[in-house]
């Protein structure tokens, strides 16, 4: 552990004046710092281990084993992930810093109309669309703060990152095709030294943890800053299994297993849940009681429903010459033209194309899971000459796409594991087909030999399972992430998203956490929570 | 797991024969002019077997080459899969039984010598086993091993650990066969202080 990364304070377990935050990723890590900066006492509980940048491993599978969430999970539904990765529905982290350790850094604001999908898209059969209870005008001041905090390129006068080879291929193909919004994008990766962190050295291991610290992660930004206030204590290897409430129905404490496997109870004035969109609803469901028989804060029945994961798909293409896509930032460029709303394409919502690169081990594992034979080995033979892009598009929320408790499979604590059910909506299928065709056209315009249309990886963007709603009956929390049913219980991660939008979610998760911190501080001052 | 590409480490399970009396060995020689030659201490490689005998190991090797055929990929890399299979078989009885059954089945098809069968027929035999535990086990182990070692990285042109220090000064943008994007699309290269 770094010198700066050590606790300066320890709170008593029976101290009921602290805010307990569950999960230290984009939402939880940011909220911890924002509250601590305002002088509020915070206990940050994180299930994973506390790593440093020197621990990171420049080797895909060992790094995955080191940092990913590997507790047992199950899947169902017609999505291909259930077939290819039946026990690994999501690719997220279990470590201090959460999935911001693995993330690629793409940081885009949600478009105004995407916050009003029910109004703008209309009633799409089979989709549970709802307008967010907030607008871009509500979010913009906080987006400003988030971009400044994260050092997002192409905002605040920060230059864009230099494009790598993978970007050159994308750029040439996309502009030949007539796309206009093509650049190295808005990335929370330092293009020049900033905020005590160096610039990007183009390692290409963004998905394995950024050793240089150029990429923003709560692990080495928010969390040390929170610790420095002396108001925040981080407890790693503290896996929460239940949120308890008092006789009035207010959150009162959380139960967690510490690193030695002992059950601990931390009392709390406020509880903020930021365990990512699979564990957050699971914890609410596991916390069912006589007063809340369907799970905590689940009066609407929406806890766990409307699970979204973004459209996702990849297009890889091979060229007569070398690309070496693995050199440099993983997400090195973004095409924005297809993110617009244009139902003439045969679907509502839009998508971005973003470069992606995988090292040889992951490329082999993800190119076409289950495949063998010459078609597969031909693709691998051309690895050095391959360029890649990832499609991130808006998927439709559906009540039936949901996280539930699977009582037949238990985790290491004997608790029901989460089951993740997902069926593609016809709109998702239409959008993916469109994106595959356009992605292929981009690479063909750049001179591709073979194009590979690659199915979704385990979900990296997990959203919507405790969504915000104006009316309590439509969702789990209000526009500040405060649960409708339990006033001092907050949802502070991507589970809050009412709909998914076409943008990578983390900038918005951070934005919402900053906004929520002001609300919590104000409510505490007023004594309403 | 082999992670180091440093040639002073032994990147393939090369063992001196004298030390291994009594155990089964799978031995091979890197093909003349193999691209891997500079990265291994000797052109001869030997894999000490724990659960399989040499004949069984050769069948596994042939089978996985049918699954993932790369004509120019050296046997030394395929041998890493055989090593993983052999070690699992030594540690896990169920896997051992799956392997022995599959190998026995192949040999029965080949009248006791599946390796002597015509290569085209072998390929048909392999395809016919798709869906069996033997096939699935070898396929999964192959895909997770064959492309996950420093020798494969060299062969297929992946930088692996070499990227740890970054490609900023070593060619992250060295592609020359397409024009460079304009500065409005791609940012400046940072100057070190
Ligand atoms: C490979 C990859 C690339 C990505 N690239 C991008 C990108 O370019 N742009 C973008 O916007 N997003 C990206 N993402 C997604 C982004 O990382 C997530 O959206 C974001 O981190 C989610 O934030 P969160 O706070 O919801 O959860 P997380 O960051 O996942 O944090 C949740 C934390 O809670 C902890 N936790 C869970 N359960 C418990 C429990 N019971 N008790 C205690 N702790 C618990 C977890 O261990 C974890 O640390 C990427 C993700 C991956 C995997
Ligand atoms: S490419 Fe840049 S951001 Fe990514 S890991 Fe390397 S230094 Fe960090």
């Amino acid at each position: 552990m770094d010198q700066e990364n050590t606790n300066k304070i320890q709170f008593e377990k029976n101290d009921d004046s602290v805010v307990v935050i569950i999960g230290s990723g984009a939402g939880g890590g940011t909220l911890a710092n924002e509250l601590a900066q305002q002088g509020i006492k915070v206990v940050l509980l994180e299930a994973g281990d506390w790593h440093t940048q020197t621990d990171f491993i420049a080797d895909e599978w060992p790094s995955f084993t080191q940092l990913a969430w590997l507790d047992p999970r199950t899947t169902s539904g017609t999505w291909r992930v259930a077939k290819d990765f039946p026990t690994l529905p999501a690719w997220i982290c279990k470590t201090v810093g959460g999935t911001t350790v693995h993330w690629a850094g793409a940081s885009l604001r949600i478009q105004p109309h995407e916050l009003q999908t029910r109004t703008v898209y209309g009633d799409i059969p089979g989709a549970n669309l709802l307008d967010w209870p907030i607008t871009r005008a509500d979010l913009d001041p906080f987006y400003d703060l988030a971009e400044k905090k994260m050092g997002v390129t192409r905002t605040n006068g920060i230059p864009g990152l230099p494009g790598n080879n993978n970007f050159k291929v994308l750029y040439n193909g996309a502009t030949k095709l007539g796309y206009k919004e093509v650049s190295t994008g808005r990335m929370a990766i330092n293009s020049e030294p900033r905020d005590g962190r160096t610039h990007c050295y183009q390692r290409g291991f963004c998905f394995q943890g950024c050793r240089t610290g150029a990429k923003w992660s709560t692990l080495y930004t928010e969390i040390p800053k929170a610790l420095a206030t002396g108001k925040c204590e981080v407890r790693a290897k503290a896996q929460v299994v239940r949120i308890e409430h008092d006789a009035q129905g207010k959150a009162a404490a959380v139960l967690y297993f510490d690193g030695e496997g002992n059950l601990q109870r931390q009392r709390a004035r406020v509880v903020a849940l930021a365990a990512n969109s699979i564990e957050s609803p699971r914890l609410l469901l596991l916390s069912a009681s006589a007063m809340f028989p369907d799970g905590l804060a689940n009066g609407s029945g929406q806890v766990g429903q409307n699970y979204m994961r973004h459209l996702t798909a990849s297009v890889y293409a091979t060229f007569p010459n070398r690309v070496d896509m693995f050199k440099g930032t993983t997400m090195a460029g973004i095409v924005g033209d297809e993110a617009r709303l244009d139902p003439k394409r045969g679907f509502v919502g839009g998508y971005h194309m973003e470069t992606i690169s995988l090292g040889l081990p992951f490329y082999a594992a993800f190119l076409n899971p289950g495949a063998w034979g010459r078609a597969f080995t031909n693709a691998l033979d051309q690895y050095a000459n391959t360029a890649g892009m990832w499609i991130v598009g808006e998927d439709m929320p559906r009540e039936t796409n949901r996280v539930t408790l699977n009582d037949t499979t238990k985790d290491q604590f004997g608790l029901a594991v989460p089951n993740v059910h997902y069926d593609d909506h016809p709109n998702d299928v239409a959008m993916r087909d469109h994106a595959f065709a356009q992605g292929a056209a981009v690479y063909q315009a750049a001179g591709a030999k073979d194009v590979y249309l690659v199915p979704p990886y385990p979900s990296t963007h997990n959203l919507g399972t405790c969504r915000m709603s104006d009316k309590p009956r439509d969702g789990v929390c209000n526009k500040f992430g405060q649960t409708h049913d339990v006033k001092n219980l907050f949802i502070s991660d991507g589970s809050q998203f009412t709909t998914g939008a076409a943008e990578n979610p983390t900038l918005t998760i951070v934005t919402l956490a900053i906004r929520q911190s002001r609300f919590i501080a104000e409510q505490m001052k007023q004594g309403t929570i | 797991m082999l992670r180091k590409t440093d040639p002073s480490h032994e990147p393939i399970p090369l063992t001196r024969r004298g030390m291994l009396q009594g155990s089964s060995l799978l031995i091979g020689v890197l093909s003349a002019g193999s691209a891997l030659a500079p990265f291994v201490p000797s052109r001869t490689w030997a894999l000490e077997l724990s659960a399989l005998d040499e004949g069984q190991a050769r069948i596994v090797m042939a089978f996985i080459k049918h699954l993932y055929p790369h004509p120019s990929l050296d046997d030394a890399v395929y041998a890493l899969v055989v090593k993983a299979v052999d070690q699992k078989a030594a540690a896990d009885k169920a896997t051992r039984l799956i392997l022995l059954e599959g190998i026995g089945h192949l040999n029965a098809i080949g009248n006791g010598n599946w390796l002597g069968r015509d290569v085209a027929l072998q390929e048909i035999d392999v395809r016919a086993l798709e869906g069996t535990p033997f096939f699935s086990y070898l396929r999964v182990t192959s895909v997770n091993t064959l492309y996950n070692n420093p020798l494969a990285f060299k062969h297929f042109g992946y930088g692996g650990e070499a990227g740890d220090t970054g490609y900023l000064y070593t060619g992250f943008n060295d592609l020359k066969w397409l024009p460079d994007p304009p500065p409005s699309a791609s940012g400046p290269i940072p100057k070190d202080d």
Side-chain angles (χ1 to χ4, degrees), chain A residues 189 199-206 209-215 328-330:
Chain A
I189 296 178
H199 61 73
C200 171
Y201 280 85
Q202 303 284 344
R203 294 172 64 237
F205 287 104
C206 309
C210 179
R211 195 187 301 295
T212 70
K215 179 186 82 178
T329 47
T330 308

Side-chain angles (χ1 to χ4, degrees), chain A residues 59 154 160-165 168 171-172 184 199 201-203 205 211 321-322 326 371-374 377 380-381, chain B residues 3 67-70 123 130 156-157 159-160 164 166-168 172-175 177 179-180 182 184-187 192:
Chain A
D59 193 352
R154 299 176 197 275
L161 284 157
N164 64 4
N165 293 346
K168 281 192 201 178
Y171 179 84
N172 278 282
T184 53
H199 61 73
Y201 280 85
Q202 303 284 344
R203 294 172 64 237
F205 287 104
R211 195 187 301 295
N321 299 298
R322 281 184 84 95
F326 58 87
W372 58 281
R374 283 201 182 78
T377 51
L380 268 289
D381 282 337
Chain B
R3 286 233 309 280
L67 286 177
Y68 292 104
H70 295 284
E123 201 171 318
E130 189 169 10
F156 292 99
D164 203 6
Y167 294 104
L168 184 62
F172 81 105
N173 63 351
D174 61 1
L175 186 154
W177 51 271
D180 280 337
S184 57
S186 179
D192 266 336

